[in-house]
Amino acid sequence: MATKCGSCGPGYPSPLEAMKGPREEIVYLPCIYRNTGIEAPDYLATVDIDPKSPQYCQVIHRLPMPHLKDELHHSGWNTCSSCYGDRSKARSKLVLPSLISSRVYVVDVGTEPRAPRLHKVIEPEDIHAKCGLGYLHTSHCLASGEVMISALGDPKGNGKGGFVLLDGETFEVKGTWEKPGGAAPLGYDFWYQPRHNVMISSEWTAPNVLRDGFNPADVKAGLYGSHLYVWDWQRHEIVQTLTLQDGLIPLETRFLHNPAAAQGFVGCALSSSIQRFFKNEGGTWSAEKVIQVPPKKVKGWMLPEMPGLITDILLSLDDRFLYFSNWLHGDLRQYDVSDPQRPRLTGQLFLGGSIVKGGPVQVLEDQELKGQPEPLVVKGKRVAGGPQMIQLSLDGKRLYVTTSLYSAWDKQFYPDLIREGSVMLQVDVDTVKGGLKLNPDFLVDFGKEPLGPALAHELRYPGGDCSSDIWL
């Protein structure tokens, strides 16, 4: 039986109760036109993913934004399971920050979930003036009723890891969450855990560095991040900076879902490692590398060695499995993390990538594979790009995958993704023994959108999911 409680507030009382929730029927995901050569605004797509529906695997609604070149990125909710006990709250608004324009769109998904409508636009000038921040990334709801959005920089594109606070009812900009002058040097993602009075944030690079693409010289110049920031949740200030060994470009940050847990994982993109962060007995925090994806020696690519480029990670709601995508190598992985210090590989699936047979890249030396994987064709469509954003069903049995990372990097690393559009795929998960298997009958082809091929990014279910809900 589904345990969704209509009178108790949004979400679920615990992660394990959320696993009993109803099967996902629709999904929301931003679609990007910036850097594609198509002069059209980004839009929020609503996709039908109910196998019993006649519109299965179809985009059933498109909500275009009123501006061009926003680069919609990671969305969040006006309220979530952190407000479960408050029956006055409802998960009715999706908050869409823009990575490049710094605009925030608030979308009404409660009135008509299958046909969202624009509720409010927060202009960048408002955020610049009240917060001194820009280039917005991750949005999380707080138990206080506020919405918090991480920033990568200041209004001029210099690095600045601060946090914008919005009123969760009016969506007025209230100011910064961190104390004045207390921003981190760089920013990206964050996750908070109130029982341990902590928030952990990660860092990518300054907006001016990433805006137009990836330059290897910027890595040598030390312009990319390699730190986690430990914040006192009550005092709103950094109390510790963790320097990650083999941890270049730490991106998605995930605490274990169990609110009593004092540990989590972060995926480090460029060094292709997974780091575990954890609380020590004395109350300080540490990080250690627990997974390393070895690079491949290659010919016909921009560098002689190709990293996996871990771009998204997820934890199942029971904290048993960790999933991540190697966007460049092209594989999706599942690890059993029942023992978080010793993850065990239980599933791996190649879904495109840069090293497929017949492509421009020749693999000269590979520590993991005996040969280059075959290109992926689903329902007659050859998949461009590699697995990137992932989202897991509440019960942990279905993993949804999209292939676009960030339009400037898409254009650089996967030009065919710009020409052919991204796709959304679905992978069946063995939750007993572990294992991943592609669903050959599921394909959403964003190459066939009415205005031309689009870049589909992060996925959100109306009732919340593994990466948007935090329990107290």
Side-chain angles (χ1 to χ4, degrees), residues 43 154 186 190 200 222 245 409 413 445 466:
Y43 60 96
D154 67 15
L186 296 171
F190 71 101
I200 304 278
Q245 301 301 317
W409 287 25
F413 291 106
D445 183 359
C466 295

Side-chain angles (χ1 to χ4, degrees), residues 30-35 38 40-44 63-74 96-105 118 121-124 135-137 211 406-407:
C31 294
I32 288 85
Y33 276 126
R34 180 176 170 266
N35 278 314
I38 296 171
D42 299 347
Y43 60 96
L44 183 70
L63 176 67
M65 299 301 129
H67 298 274
L68 295 173
K69 298 178 172 51
D70 284 308
E71 190 92 33
L72 299 179
H73 210 57
H74 290 200
L96 274 166
S98 301
L99 186 62
I100 295 300
S101 72
S102 306
R103 208 170 266 114
V104 179
Y105 296 104
L118 195 57
V121 181
I122 304 168
E123 294 294 346
Y135 302 90
L136 306 178
H137 191 267
R211 184 189 282 113
Y406 161 60
S407 67

Side-chain angles (χ1 to χ4, degrees), residues 7-81:
S7 62
C8 304
Y12 303 90
S14 71
L16 295 181
E17 285 298 304
M19 293 187 77
K20 304 173 190 174
R23 179 177 172 136
E24 64 285 356
E25 295 180 351
I26 59 173
V27 66
Y28 303 122
L29 63 170
C31 294
I32 288 85
Y33 276 126
R34 180 176 170 266
N35 278 314
T36 65
I38 296 171
E39 288 294 307
D42 299 347
Y43 60 96
L44 183 70
T46 305
V47 177
D48 189 321
I49 53 173
D50 180 1
K52 295 177 286 191
S53 168
Q55 295 175 303
Y56 182 53
C57 285
Q58 293 179 28
V59 179
I60 57 173
H61 187 267
R62 299 170 184 86
L63 176 67
M65 299 301 129
H67 298 274
L68 295 173
K69 298 178 172 51
D70 284 308
E71 190 92 33
L72 299 179
H73 210 57
H74 290 200
S75 59
W77 297 104
N78 62 316
T79 187
C80 65
S81 291

Side-chain angles (χ1 to χ4, degrees), residues 46-203:
T46 305
V47 177
D48 189 321
I49 53 173
D50 180 1
K52 295 177 286 191
S53 168
Q55 295 175 303
Y56 182 53
C57 285
Q58 293 179 28
V59 179
I60 57 173
H61 187 267
R62 299 170 184 86
L63 176 67
M65 299 301 129
H67 298 274
L68 295 173
K69 298 178 172 51
D70 284 308
E71 190 92 33
L72 299 179
H73 210 57
H74 290 200
S75 59
W77 297 104
N78 62 316
T79 187
C80 65
S81 291
S82 63
C83 300
Y84 175 76
D86 187 348
R87 65 180 63 192
S88 70
K89 299 275 194 285
R91 195 191 317 246
S92 59
K93 305 292 191 306
L94 191 63
V95 180
L96 274 166
S98 301
L99 186 62
I100 295 300
S101 72
S102 306
R103 208 170 266 114
V104 179
Y105 296 104
V106 182
V107 176
D108 175 2
V109 297
T111 304
E112 180 46 71
R114 297 175 73 86
R117 61 189 70 169
L118 195 57
H119 175 72
K120 182 171 182 172
V121 181
I122 304 168
E123 294 294 346
E125 293 78 12
D126 196 12
I127 292 162
H128 294 167
K130 293 179 180 175
C131 304
L133 294 169
Y135 302 90
L136 306 178
H137 191 267
T138 299
S139 174
H140 275 305
C141 64
L142 308 185
S144 61
E146 296 164 310
V147 173
M148 184 159 139
I149 305 173
S150 61
L152 273 67
D154 67 15
K156 294 182 178 179
N158 303 305
K160 188 178 183 183
F163 303 89
V164 175
L165 270 186
L166 306 179
D167 184 287
E169 298 288 337
T170 65
F171 301 101
E172 290 296 314
V173 179
K174 299 180 72 172
T176 61
W177 174 84
E178 73 278 6
K179 289 184 174 179
L186 296 171
Y188 185 75
D189 194 25
F190 71 101
W191 196 284
Y192 62 88
Q193 200 75 307
R195 290 196 194 181
H196 297 281
N197 188 36
V198 70
M199 180 177 82
I200 304 278
S201 69
S202 61
E203 57 182 14

